[in-house]
Amino acid sequence: MIRLAWRLLAGRQGLAWLALACIAVGVAARGAVTGSVTMVEAQLASQARELIAADLEVSSARALDDTVRTAVLAALPPGSRTAESRTLTAMAVADGATALCELHAVGPGWPLAGRLVGAPAGSEAALAGEAPAVLVDADLLPRLGVAVGGELRLGTGTFRIAGTIAHEPGTGGSPFRFGPTIYAGITALDAAGLSGYGIRARHQLLVALADATAATPLAQQLRKQLAIDDDETEGLGAGPSRAQVRVRSAAETAQRGAKAAGRAADLLRIVALFALALGALGVATLAGGMMRAQADDLAVLRVLGSSRRRAAAIFAMQAALIGTGGGALGTLLGGLLALGAGIAMGVPAAWPHPTDVGLGIALGATAALAAATLPALALARMAPLAVLRGESPAPVPRGAAILVLLAVLLLGALAAAFESHSWQIGPTIAGAVALTALLLTALGHLVLPAIAAIRPRAFAVRHGLANLARPGRRPIALIIALGLAAALGTALITLRASFDAELAPGRLAGKPDFFVLDVQDDQREALVALLAGKGLVANLRPQVRARLRSIDGISATAPTTGVTREAERAAHFRRREQNLTWSAAPGPGETLIAGTWPAAADECAVQDAWADSVGAHLGSRLVFDVQGVELAVVVTGLRRIDWWTFQPNFFISLHPDALAGAPAVWLGTIPAMPATERRPLAAEVAQRFPNVSLIDVAEAAQTARLAIERASAAVAAIAAVALLAGLAVVAGTTAAGARERRGEAALIRALGGTARTIAVSVAAEFAAAALPAALLGAALGALGGGLLAGVILDVQVVWPWWQIALLIGVLVLAATATALLTARHAWRVPPLAVLREEPGG
C-alpha cells in the first residue's frame, strides 16, 4: 500500500511538494528554536568549569562559618586546590561621576578554571600587586570620564585602573548584571571597607579537583552532610550561625543554565507551533485539491475491488509521507537556521538532539494526518460511478466533521501544553487561536458573498470578485491563515509598543530617580537627614531575609509533582530566599484586595500572585526560618502590587511587632530631583555610605528596554516564519483550484481575453479576500495584545496604528503576490491544450 500511495503521489508532484513545504515551514521554526537551545546547552556543557571558575563552589550570603568550612575541606580528596572570591554591588566614583557596579573580589589562586584576561595584555597581574588596582568593563570608562591608568574610588579606597576586561570566567552563565563589572584583589577591598557587617556580598569557596568528574558526587555528598536538599537552591548548612549555604558543581551549574534557556524558549516553541498549525491548514487545503486530482485513479481502484477503507488509507498514507518528509526537511532547515544564528552569536555549532529531530518529524506527520482526515473521510464516501460521471464528492456529515475538528483541537491543545510545558499557557493559547479561527470562518461566510455581489465596470475585477461566491471556491482557509498571521503580528506589535511606552523616559516623569539598596539600621536616620537637607523624602522599607519552611503544616521543600512550568515556579517561590517587610498600612503601589491588614505580630498580608504560586490563601499558616528563629504567621490579607510605580514592595508584609529587634536592611527610592543635583547626590551618598548602592531608574529602564528588544527580536523572527506559513496557505489555496482556474483562463482567452485580464482577475480575487481577513485578524490581535498588556502585565496599552496598518498592507500585498506567482500557469498554458485536456493543461 505504501508503494501504491507513493506512485499515486508521484503523479501529483506539484501539489505534493507544496504540501510538504507547508509542513516544513512550521517544523523549521521549531527546529530553529530547539537547535538554538541545543547549542546553548552544548556551550554551557563545554565551558562548565569556566562558569564558576572551578569544579565546585560552596557559597553563602554571609561569610562561611568555621563549621561549614571545616566540613568542606575535610571532604576534599587529595590534590584539591581552593580559592576564595566575593561578589557584591558597589558604587564606583571618579571626578564626581558615579556608577553602580558588580564588584568581584578575588583571592590568591583565583581562577581555578579559565583565565581572567585584561587589556592591555598582562594587566590582570596588577590585581595581585601591592598597590590597589582594578580591571573594569570598557563601557564604564566613558561613564566615569576616566581612562586606563586613571583612578576611581570604591568604598574608602582609591584604585588604579590597570586595564579593561577582555575575557572573564566565573560568570555563572547568567546574563544579568547590576552594572559594569569590576575585578579587584580581595585584600584591597577589605582595606577599603567593603567587607564585614553592612556589606551584602556573596562569599564563594571554590574548589578544583584532580578528577573533575568527581565534582557532582562530591557536591551531592556535601549537600547531604549540610542538610541541603538536592533540588533546593540553598540550605541551612551547619554550625551555630546556620548560614544559608549553596553547594553546586560546574556540571550542575551548566544544567541549571540549560534549563533556564529551555524555559526562555517556551514562548518561541508556542509561536513555532502556531506556524505549524498554519502549515497544516495549508495541507488541508491542498488535500482537497489532491483528492479531486486523484479521484479518477482511486475510483478505478474501487472498481477493481479496492474497499473504501483501503482507498482512504492510501490517501492517509500519502499525507503521512508528506508530513514525514516535511518534518525531516523542516528539522534540517531549522538546524541550519540555528547554526547560522549560532555563528552570528559566536556559539559553537551543535546539531539538534536526536529526540528533537524525532519530535519534529512526528509533529510534521501528525499535523499532515490531522489536516487530511476530513478529505480522506470524504474520499471514503465517494461512489466510483459518481466519480466517473464527474460529480462532486459528497460532504462529510456535519456530526462526523465536528467530531474530527474537536479531536484536532484537542490534539492541538495537548501539543501546545507539551511545547510550553504548561497546562495553563499552552491550552489557553490554543483555545484563543481556535476561537480566532472560528470568528474568521464566520467572517468568511458573511463577507465573501457580500464582496462577490459588488459589480465594478472592469470585467477582470468583476470576474475575480465573483469567484469568491462560487461553490467550492470560497477561500476560507486563506481567510483563517492570514487572519491568524495578522492577529499574531498585531499582538506582538502592541505588546512591544506598550512596554516601550511604559519604560520610555517621558513615562518616567514622576517616578523615583534612584533605587537605594543595603541601608543598615544605624545608617537610616543619617541618610534620611541627608536627603531631607536637600528637600527630598525617601520611601524606605525594611527587609529581613528568611526561608519559608511550611504552609499549613506541609513542608515547603516537599517534592513537587509534575514537570510543568507552573510546578517549577511554585517550587521556586516556596524554596527561594524570602524577603519579609513590615508596615502599619499599605504603602504606595499596594492595595489590599481581600481580608484585613495585619493587626498583630502573628499576622501577615501577602501578594495575591505569590499566594497562588505557593498554594496559600486567607487563613493559611506560614512558618518562616529567620536566621535560625522560627516565625509563624497567619495570612489575614491579600494585596495587589503595582510594580510599575517603581516603589519598594515585597511579597510578604508583616505587622511591625513581628520582627521587633531583628537585624534588617532598608531599601527604597529617592524621588525625582533636578538633573543638576543627581550626580552630586550620588557622589555624596557613595562617600558617606560606602556600602549603600544607588541604581539609576532611567538606566534600569534602559536595560529593561534592551532585554525586551532582544526577546522581541527572537519572537518576531519566529513570527515571520508563521507569516511564511500563512503565505503557504495562500499558495495552497491557489494550487488546489488550479485545474478549474486553468479552464476558466482558457475560456476567457478563447473569448478574447488576455493574460493581463486573468492576472488582474486573480489579483482582485485574492486581494479582496486577504484585506478583510487581515483587518479582522489585526483587530482581534490588537484586542488580545491590549488585554495581555493592560490586564495581565498591568502596563499602559499603546496601539501603534501606523505599524499595524503597515502589517495589514504587507499581508495583503504578499498574499496577492503569492497567488499570482502560484497561478501564473493558468494564463501560460495554451487554451487549446486545456480544452483538449492534454497533459500539462
Side-chain angles (χ1 to χ4, degrees):
M1 188 167 65
I2 296 178
R3 182 182 301 177
L4 181 58
W6 177 257
R7 287 181 176 177
L8 291 175
L9 195 61
R12 304 289 184 272
Q13 291 187 17
L15 292 175
W17 277 109
L18 189 52
L20 187 143
C22 288
I23 295 296
V25 167
V27 176
R30 184 186 189 278
V33 175
T34 56
S36 299
V37 172
T38 299
M39 286 194 296
V40 170
E41 291 174 348
Q43 182 188 35
L44 290 172
S46 65
Q47 301 176 359
R49 298 184 73 232
E50 196 168 331
L51 290 177
I52 60 174
D55 294 315
L56 182 74
E57 177 192 79
V58 181
S59 63
S60 174
R62 287 183 282 167
L64 295 173
D65 62 39
D66 292 338
T67 307
V68 173
R69 189 180 296 274
T70 300
V72 172
L73 296 178
L76 298 183
S80 300
R81 295 177 292 119
T82 63
E84 296 198 25
S85 66
R86 193 182 307 148
T87 305
L88 63 151
T89 58
M91 298 294 293
V93 183
D95 296 330
T98 62
L100 180 69
C101 298
E102 188 171 280
L103 187 55
H104 295 267
V106 296
W110 185 95
L112 299 176
R115 182 187 169 198
L116 176 66
V117 180
S123 55
E124 64 276 7
L127 302 184
E130 294 184 2
V134 292
L135 291 181
V136 302
D137 271 346
D139 62 355
L140 177 64
L141 300 179
R143 294 174 62 178
L144 295 180
V146 294
V148 173
E151 294 182 340
L152 57 78
R153 192 172 73 250
L154 295 169
T156 59
T158 300
F159 294 76
R160 179 179 65 86
I161 302 174
T164 58
I165 302 166
H167 175 76
E168 57 179 318
T171 61
S174 172
F176 178 76
R177 299 288 179 88
F178 277 102
T181 304
I182 297 179
Y183 282 85
I186 199 168
T187 304
L189 286 179
D190 288 345
L194 292 175
S195 64
Y197 179 76
I199 302 296
R200 185 166 63 176
R202 190 83 198 170
H203 301 258
Q204 295 105 4
L205 173 62
L206 305 175
V207 179
L209 303 175
D211 178 12
T213 60
T216 297
L218 179 59
Q220 294 171 343
Q221 173 190 333
L222 286 172
R223 285 196 292 267
K224 183 177 181 180
Q225 186 174 344
L226 298 175
I228 306 171
D229 292 339
D230 279 342
D231 55 355
E232 258 194 288
T233 303
E234 293 178 303
L236 286 177
S241 71
R242 295 177 64 78
Q244 304 290 346
V245 178
R246 180 174 63 194
V247 179
R248 60 179 181 175
S249 67
E252 289 170 334
T253 302
Q255 290 170 1
R256 288 182 181 273
K259 287 183 179 180
R263 286 192 293 270
D266 283 348
L267 178 59
L268 298 180
R269 277 191 287 263
I270 282 289
V271 179
L273 186 64
F274 183 90
L276 180 58
L278 292 182
L281 185 61
V283 172
T285 304
L286 288 164
M290 292 176 64
M291 179 187 67
R292 292 189 294 272
Q294 297 181 87
D296 291 345
D297 298 333
L298 294 172
V300 171
L301 291 177
R302 292 285 309 280
V303 171
L304 295 177
S306 178
S307 65
R308 291 186 176 187
R309 285 186 177 181
R310 184 175 178 83
I314 290 173
F315 190 78
M317 185 62 66
Q318 291 177 339
L321 290 172
I322 289 172
T324 302
L329 177 61
T331 301
L332 176 62
L333 292 176
L336 292 175
L337 289 173
L339 184 62
I343 292 174
M345 296 184 296
V347 178
W351 285 103
H353 192 275
T355 303
D356 289 323
V357 174
L359 282 173
I361 294 174
L363 280 172
T366 303
L369 282 171
T373 299
L374 283 178
L377 291 177
L379 184 65
R381 290 171 50 81
M382 270 190 180
L385 187 58
V387 174
L388 298 177
R389 286 174 178 170
E391 297 177 5
S392 298
V396 177
R398 179 171 297 181
I402 291 176
L403 287 177
V404 170
L405 292 176
L406 289 176
V408 170
L409 179 59
L410 176 61
L411 187 64
L414 291 175
F418 176 79
E419 290 291 84
S420 64
H421 299 88
S422 169
W423 285 109
Q424 296 178 12
I425 297 174
T428 299
I429 293 177
V433 170
L435 179 60
T436 303
L438 183 62
L439 293 173
L440 290 166
T441 302
L443 170 78
H445 286 294
L446 290 173
V447 173
L448 294 183
I451 296 176
I454 300 174
R455 291 290 184 265
R457 294 184 61 183
F459 167 76
V461 177
R462 185 168 67 251
H463 178 266
L465 298 183
N467 280 338
L468 297 176
R470 293 180 58 186
R473 288 285 291 274
R474 291 181 182 176
I476 300 299
L478 180 149
I479 295 285
I480 296 173
L482 291 183
L484 287 174
L488 174 64
T490 305
L492 294 177
I493 289 172
T494 301
L495 285 173
R496 171 67 184 274
S498 298
F499 275 116
D500 284 348
E502 190 69 40
L503 297 172
R507 282 281 296 168
L508 296 179
K511 298 287 195 301
D513 268 354
F514 291 103
F515 297 115
V516 55
L517 309 177
D518 300 335
V519 180
Q520 303 302 308
D521 269 330
D522 57 356
Q523 296 175 319
R524 182 169 61 94
E525 292 185 1
L527 178 62
V528 169
L530 170 65
L531 296 175
K534 301 179 181 298
L536 301 173
V537 179
N539 178 26
L540 298 179
R541 295 287 295 273
Q543 176 192 35
V544 173
R545 296 183 179 272
R547 284 280 167 179
L548 179 62
R549 287 305 165 208
S550 67
I551 303 173
D552 294 326
I554 300 175
S555 173
T557 59
T560 57
T561 57
V563 292
T564 64
R565 296 304 185 213
E566 288 80 16
E568 289 182 1
R569 186 170 183 267
H572 168 71
F573 273 106
R574 288 196 301 267
R575 294 169 179 166
R576 70 188 288 274
E577 194 171 38
Q578 309 291 338
N579 294 315
L580 309 181
T581 190
W582 61 83
S583 175
E590 58 182 333
T591 305
L592 187 68
I593 60 173
T596 60
W597 195 257
D602 61 348
E603 297 179 354
C604 71
V606 301
Q607 189 212 18
D608 54 344
W610 182 87
D612 290 339
S613 295
V614 303
H617 51 79
L618 288 176
S620 288
R621 186 174 186 271
L622 310 180
V623 178
F624 296 94
D625 185 302
V626 185
Q627 301 175 12
V629 178
E630 182 178 287
L631 173 66
V633 292
V634 176
V635 177
T636 61
L638 296 178
R639 305 145 54 223
R640 181 161 297 149
I641 297 176
D642 180 5
W643 301 105
W644 295 102
T645 60
F646 291 8
Q647 295 295 336
N649 264 308
F650 303 89
F651 293 141
I652 305 150
S653 183
L654 308 174
H655 187 272
D657 293 339
L659 293 172
V665 295
W666 295 74
L667 68 162
T669 55
I670 297 176
M673 66 191 76
T676 55
E677 298 179 9
R678 291 163 55 87
R679 287 182 57 177
L681 175 64
E684 187 173 357
V685 170
Q687 181 177 2
R688 291 186 55 182
F689 310 100
N691 61 290
V692 173
S693 299
L694 295 183
I695 300 177
D696 189 294
V697 170
E699 290 184 3
Q702 176 63 18
T703 301
R705 277 198 298 271
L706 293 175
I708 291 172
E709 286 177 4
R710 288 193 290 266
S712 298
V715 176
I718 304 301
V721 179
L723 173 59
L724 290 178
L727 296 179
V729 176
V730 177
T733 301
T734 311
R739 186 173 182 178
E740 295 86 349
R741 200 173 297 280
R742 282 196 300 269
E744 288 179 6
L747 183 59
I748 291 173
R749 294 184 66 182
L751 294 175
T754 64
R756 181 178 179 277
T757 305
I758 302 166
V760 171
S761 175
V762 171
E765 176 184 346
F766 282 88
L771 181 58
L775 287 172
L776 180 62
L780 294 174
L783 177 62
L787 289 174
L788 184 59
V791 178
I792 306 300
L793 302 176
D794 199 23
V795 300
Q796 181 186 13
V797 180
V798 173
W799 287 288
W801 296 115
W802 71 269
Q803 294 183 29
I804 296 174
L806 180 62
L807 173 65
I808 293 172
V810 168
L811 280 173
V812 174
L813 290 175
T816 305
T818 302
L820 287 171
L821 185 64
T822 309
R824 68 189 185 281
H825 294 293
W827 58 80
R828 289 186 176 180
V829 178
L832 191 58
V834 177
L835 297 177
R836 288 175 175 175
E837 297 184 353
E838 294 181 0

